[in-house]
Amino acid sequence: RVDEALHEQAEIDLERITRALHQYKLDNLRYPSPDQGLYALLESPVLEPLSPRWAGPYLSRSSLIRDPWKRDYIYHSSDAPPSFSVKTLGADGVEGGSGENRDLLVVFESDSDY
């Protein structure tokens, strides 16, 4: 039951991160760059591209950018078209797997450049 609870927590985290990324994009007209990472949801980025309209923090606590197994969520983004993915590798920290080791992934790709 503990393993399933950790996956449920990861699913909730991914939903929160997804909402925060969309809010970030509404304010800044783009998602954080891969170099800025999910940390840009907590503090205004210091790496280019800067975000002068940053209105965060977009997440309530820094622990939300780490999965329930205490590893950073894996984040990728693109500007054309605007898109992102956020992933956890599950309990084992290795790509693939099933049960407690299964990966969880959220992918979003906009159908426009705005």
Side-chain angles (χ1 to χ4, degrees):
R1 293 190 156 231
V2 171
D3 296 328
E4 194 54 40
L6 292 174
H7 271 86
E8 288 175 14
Q9 183 60 52
E11 289 173 356
I12 292 167
D13 290 352
L14 291 173
E15 288 175 21
R16 288 179 177 169
I17 292 168
T18 297
R19 284 193 305 269
L21 286 165
H22 289 311
Q23 185 61 52
Y24 181 99
K25 184 178 183 286
L26 284 172
D27 290 345
N28 300 287
L29 306 177
R30 63 182 322 278
Y31 294 111
S33 72
D35 289 336
Q36 293 167 332
L38 296 176
Y39 194 73
L41 301 174
L42 299 167
E43 292 189 14
S44 183
V46 294
L47 299 174
E48 295 288 338
L50 299 180
S51 302
R53 295 173 36 174
W54 191 88
Y58 298 94
L59 291 172
S60 60
R61 60 187 189 277
S62 61
S63 62
L64 289 172
I65 63 173
R66 295 181 60 82
D67 69 20
W69 300 277
K70 308 299 183 217
R71 291 185 300 272
D72 290 344
Y73 282 104
I74 300 165
Y75 171 74
H76 298 284
S77 68
S78 173
D79 287 334
S83 63
F84 66 83
S85 67
V86 185
K87 182 177 188 173
T88 178
L89 299 177
D92 64 355
V94 177
E95 190 83 30
S98 61
E100 69 184 39
N101 297 325
R102 73 184 181 276
D103 301 347
L104 295 173
L105 172 68
V106 171
V107 176
F108 176 81
E109 186 170 309
S110 177
D111 56 358
S112 72
D113 289 337
Y114 300 102

